[in-house]
Amino acid sequence: MTHIITRACCNDASCVAVCPVNCIHPTPDEPDFLTAEMLYIDPETCIDCGACVDECPVSAIYPDDQLPASQLPFLQINTDYYKDHDVEGGIVKHPRPPQLPADELRVAIVGAGPAAFYAAQELVKKSQIKVDMFDRLPTPYGLVRAGVAPDHAQTKGVEDTFAAVEKKRNFTYHLGVEVGTHISHDELRERYGAVLYAVGAPHDRHLNIPGEDLAGSIAATEFVAWYNGHPDFAGHTFDLSGERAVVIGNGNVALDVARILATDPELLASTDIADHALAALRESNIREVFVVGRRGIEHAAFTNGELLGLGEVDGIDVVIDEAELTLSDEAAAQEADDTLDSVIATKVRLAREFAAKPLVEGNRRIVFKFLTSPVEITGTDSASSVKLVRNRYIGGGKIEATDTTSDLDSGFIVRSIGYRTQPVKDLPFDEASSLVPNEDSRVLDGPGGAPLPGVFVAGWIKRGPTGGIGRNRLCGEQAAATILLDFANGALPTPTTDAIDVADLVISRGAHRVDLQGWKRIDAAEREAGAGAGRRRVKITSIEEMKNVAGESEPVGDVVGGA
């Protein structure tokens, strides 16, 4: 018997650290980890110890004889990975951390998403390090709370890891506090030996085509935040009166949007989807969602697990015309001689299996179009259709547009082509890369410049909006390791002001500071409301209501204790 990693895998890599025989790959120190769809267990090396099952934060690992029926395809997916990925067994070795001075170090972390928490997790292991975490919202967890789809409850299980960090005595929340408004960057540097920014990439990329700004043409970032109950978007409304929606892009977020639009709302009623979104979806007329990708199936950005997941939703047909599954000449040749990358080969195989499935009368449909690009969104006052052009491969995996065009009628068009970063107030910003310039997480005074002592970055603002929870864990841990190294080497500046005044300072400037107890009150209220409705939680979507539920912060004092 072996163990199997399934669709809920978040690439957190906690399982890798506890595996005694190094049978889970790719590991964070292997090049494939940075682009891996998920992690895989080598059936030939696994000794069936079960350590990974207990460690997985999202309950994605099962013994092969206990796999739920819906996850059975992952038996083959785990096995296929090792057809062309050679790995060596043996014990995973972890480098010893540097010897730290006995002095106290205070670290400010700006942002409360995965990269921020994984950095904090490493730092609070050291008793002489005190971590203060800032976020402008009264609630933590970033995109785990406001980005992970509500019907992916297993993935949200990573919140338990974050909750363990926030309870540490040397960890303090300053939620509802906006750095740059309630406290400046310079004031943080005066009070903390290290300041780590992990603020993500909250904005969407644009198509840059005519008609993109018409009503009914929106960004996936906006729609995802809306159905997840982000308070900045809770008041938005969308016209779902038409029978067809079009999603431009085919990454996992695009599939999330398509799935939420096509799923029977009563199946979503047991999730933590925002109440306003559930009400709107119950009134929706959408029966068909087109997912449009400019490249072919071999380059589709969605993961195999997310594609498989679409087929598990009752009442949805996944529609793929076999003619859409054109491969590049290079991929076709590799497939013919059985050298096509195993992950890509699995993606092609799954798509062909969907193409062969019969349609069920009355089902809603998610229709995939590959090698297709939008060139214009048309309409008078609002979007009414999108003009598409057919692409073709021209060698080397490159594509070019053909003369073949078509129009797809739709009044609801969602662009899902990635996130983008924006400058952080008072930090250097490289417009060319759209990142804060950095080296080994240390912020530089400009591209190629010198490090700014004590200032660091992690997550998407550091490396760009790529990778999910697992990649952000690695990134956060790397930033923490750099902070610890600089602390050990005496390279961090000495604060000139005691950080004990931070709570009073931000409150005096209008912040309604929420501490751990305040967040616990919000969390408890949401869970209590959810329990009454058979749901995980019912989210509070008004910042004012969050503040009221949180109440007043407790005095910080000398003992941090999650104050």
Side-chain angles (χ1 to χ4, degrees):
M1 186 171 70
T2 186
H3 282 70
I4 303 297
I5 299 178
T6 61
R7 178 168 64 86
C9 177
C10 67
N11 288 38
D12 168 277
S14 298
C15 55
V16 173
V18 300
C19 178
V21 293
N22 195 26
C23 74
I24 305 176
H25 296 272
T27 64
D29 58 355
E30 293 173 341
D32 284 357
F33 181 82
L34 300 180
T35 56
E37 292 190 351
M38 57 179 287
L39 305 182
Y40 308 86
I41 293 177
D42 182 0
E44 299 299 323
T45 310
C46 177
I47 60 172
D48 194 28
C49 69
C52 56
V53 176
D54 295 333
E55 194 68 21
C56 178
V58 295
S59 303
I61 306 177
Y62 298 84
D64 61 3
D65 61 352
Q66 297 178 28
L67 272 176
S70 63
Q71 306 297 302
L72 286 173
F74 286 93
L75 275 167
Q76 188 65 44
I77 288 173
N78 275 250
T79 300
D80 285 348
Y81 178 81
Y82 291 95
K83 288 181 179 179
D84 58 356
H85 290 80
D86 295 326
V87 295
E88 296 180 1
I91 304 299
V92 177
K93 297 180 180 179
H94 301 282
R96 289 179 61 85
Q99 185 66 38
L100 301 180
D103 300 336
E104 178 183 278
L105 171 66
R106 283 187 176 266
V107 179
I109 298 180
V110 183
F117 264 100
Y118 284 121
Q121 183 179 46
E122 294 302 303
L123 293 170
V124 297
K125 291 176 181 178
K126 314 298 180 183
S127 59
Q128 73 269 47
I129 297 180
K130 291 182 167 60
V131 172
D132 286 8
M133 183 174 285
F134 296 78
D135 197 277
R136 71 178 185 86
L137 293 179
T139 55
Y141 306 161
L143 283 180
V144 174
R145 177 179 170 94
V148 174
D151 56 349
H152 281 6
Q154 274 185 275
T155 304
K156 292 177 184 284
V158 76
E159 291 179 359
D160 292 340
T161 299
F162 304 159
V165 175
E166 69 191 15
K167 294 174 184 175
K168 296 291 185 179
R169 289 178 59 82
N170 52 340
F171 179 96
T172 299
Y173 269 138
H174 297 286
L175 302 174
V177 176
E178 186 168 10
V179 173
T181 299
H182 301 123
I183 189 169
S184 71
H185 169 69
D186 287 341
E187 287 169 332
L188 290 178
R189 294 189 70 186
E190 290 169 359
R191 289 163 174 77
Y192 297 90
V195 182
L196 171 63
Y197 286 85
V199 294
H203 297 276
D204 63 286
R205 293 176 58 195
H206 290 265
L207 295 166
N208 296 319
I209 60 174
E212 184 176 12
D213 295 329
L214 285 169
S217 169
I218 68 163
T221 52
E222 178 184 355
F223 190 65
V224 169
W226 172 77
Y227 65 61
N228 271 317
H230 192 295
D232 289 352
F233 298 89
H236 289 208
T237 58
F238 302 102
D239 183 0
L240 306 179
S241 61
E243 293 191 356
R244 177 187 291 156
V246 177
V247 181
I248 306 298
N250 60 14
N252 283 350
V253 174
L255 266 59
D256 283 345
V257 170
R259 190 181 63 255
I260 294 297
L261 285 169
T263 297
D264 183 340
E266 300 316 308
L267 296 178
L268 297 172
S270 61
T271 73
D272 67 356
I273 190 170
D275 281 350
H276 58 256
L278 183 61
L281 290 168
R282 281 175 166 151
E283 298 297 320
S284 170
N285 291 327
I286 292 174
R287 304 289 302 174
E288 181 179 63
V289 184
F290 275 74
V291 178
V292 178
R294 70 184 186 89
R295 305 185 75 185
I297 178 63
E298 70 198 75
H299 295 113
F302 55 74
T303 60
N304 291 328
E306 288 302 309
L307 179 60
L308 265 174
L310 294 181
E312 298 171 13
V313 184
D314 290 340
I316 292 180
D317 281 336
V318 177
V319 181
I320 304 177
D321 190 325
E322 181 71 33
E324 292 285 336
L325 302 179
T326 302
L327 300 180
S328 65
D329 290 343
E330 294 81 2
Q334 290 168 357
E335 183 181 44
D337 61 17
D338 201 26
T339 60
L340 185 62
D341 178 89
S342 58
V343 176
I344 296 175
T346 297
K347 189 165 292 183
V348 174
R349 174 176 62 80
L350 293 175
R352 287 174 178 159
E353 289 175 0
F354 276 119
K357 286 184 177 181
L359 302 183
V360 177
E361 186 176 354
N363 273 2
R364 302 185 189 194
R365 309 196 323 165
I366 296 178
V367 184
F368 283 85
K369 291 186 71 66
F370 298 100
L371 287 169
T372 302
S373 296
V375 292
E376 183 181 6
I377 295 172
T378 59
T380 306
D381 297 320
S382 62
S384 59
S385 69
V386 56
K387 183 178 290 293
L388 305 172
V389 64
R390 191 71 177 172
N391 301 322
R392 66 182 178 189
Y393 282 111
I394 57 173
K398 297 180 180 179
I399 61 171
E400 69 175 8
T402 69
D403 294 330
T404 302
T405 61
S406 59
D407 292 308
L408 199 56
D409 292 340
S410 175
F412 191 63
I413 300 164
V414 184
R415 62 180 181 275
S416 181
I417 56 173
Y419 295 80
R420 63 182 176 89
T421 56
Q422 67 173 1
V424 178
K425 188 175 182 180
D426 297 324
L427 286 191
F429 192 75
D430 181 5
E431 295 289 349
S433 64
S434 195
L435 299 175
V436 172
N438 71 92
E439 184 175 356
D440 295 331
S441 302
R442 299 179 182 92
V443 173
L444 307 178
D445 59 12
L452 295 175
V455 186
F456 305 86
V457 283
W460 285 359
I461 194 65
K462 168 189 171 181
R463 69 178 194 275
T466 59
I469 292 172
R471 181 80 184 276
N472 278 314
R473 174 174 184 162
L474 177 63
C475 194
E477 290 177 346
Q478 288 171 340
T482 300
I483 292 171
L484 294 176
L485 181 62
D486 284 3
F487 184 35
N489 291 338
L492 296 179
T494 301
T496 58
T497 303
D498 195 329
I500 197 67
D501 74 339
V502 167
D504 289 340
L505 177 65
V506 300
I507 291 171
S508 72
R509 293 175 178 169
H512 186 110
R513 174 180 172 270
V514 175
D515 58 14
L516 176 60
Q517 296 309 314
W519 157 235
K520 283 183 174 180
R521 286 189 281 270
I522 295 172
D523 184 45
E526 291 183 340
R527 290 182 184 275
E528 183 178 352
R535 302 168 65 181
R536 180 174 174 271
R537 68 170 70 235
V538 174
K539 288 180 180 175
I540 299 171
T541 60
S542 160
I543 287 182
E544 287 305 313
E545 185 178 352
M546 289 178 186
K547 291 177 180 178
N548 291 335
V549 172
E552 297 299 322
S553 295
E554 297 179 1
V556 175
D558 292 331
V559 178
V560 178

